[in-house]
Amino acid sequence: MPDSGRGPGILLLQEIFGVGDFLTSKANDLAEEGYVVLCPDVFWRVEPGIALEHDEASLQAAFSYMTRYSTEVPDETKVADLGAALDHLRSLPEVAGQKVAAMGYCLGGFLAYTIACNFDPDATVAYYGSGIADRLSDAENLTCPIIFHFGGNDPFIPNEQVDAIRAHLDDRDSVQVHVQHSAGHAFENFLAPQFHDAAATAVSWPLTLEFLERELKG
């Protein structure tokens, strides 16, 4: 919650590590900028309350939860859960009557894009969302402004996929695609030393804040 007690809403969506310290830290950063932030437990139908450490030892467990979420939860249920979370954010008295955005990292970046293509957020921020390039046909329903962030050395998202996203969407004035060419995956996650890139974050985070300020408050 921002100090003002109310503000535009942001639905902040998790990485495969769950709703842990990185996500809550970003939620606090956004609250300091004046936003009301809701972090839904995306994996709750598989196992609620997942919050793994951001280290190599936890990575396989994170992939396991991701696999179970992908295979055990029907796609229509995943989408419905995301829509319910967005509706809940909008219904909060601290947000009522103001704009809302979907924003996410890694898995959450893909889920934020999914929300943008299926519901009506006022803006969307998608950080290195794996799988977006495979769902570009969904973008015919994309109506809100959206900003994408990718790393140019991401082993999980080849540059060809980023190029496909840019080619499909970059003719829209409401779409931004930013690539930090020296960065890999999860470069904003300061709790994951194997991924974090401080120089890339110093570029991407101000772009995100500027985008949110313009689309939610402007």
Side-chain angles (χ1 to χ4, degrees), residues 9 12 18 37 43 67 72 80 100 104 151 160 165 182 193 200:
L12 185 59
V37 187
F43 285 163
T67 299
E72 296 177 17
V100 300
E160 292 80 8
I165 293 167
S182 65

Side-chain angles (χ1 to χ4, degrees), residues 24 34 38 67 70 98 123 134 143 152-153 159 161 175 181 195 204:
T24 55
L38 176 67
T67 299
S70 298
Q98 303 194 64
D134 298 324
T143 58
N153 286 316
N159 287 327
Q161 292 188 12
V175 174
H181 293 286
F195 295 128
S204 61

Side-chain angles (χ1 to χ4, degrees), residues 2 10 12 25-37 103 105 205 208-209 212 217:
I10 296 177
L12 185 59
S25 175
K26 283 297 183 182
N28 287 328
D29 290 344
L30 291 165
E32 289 179 1
E33 298 292 331
Y35 301 104
V36 176
V37 187
M103 175 175 169
Y105 290 88
W205 184 241
T208 292
L209 293 182
L212 291 170
K217 299 179 182 178

Side-chain angles (χ1 to χ4, degrees), residues 195-208:
F195 295 128
H196 182 51
D197 188 313
T201 301
V203 177
S204 61
W205 184 241
L207 288 170
T208 292

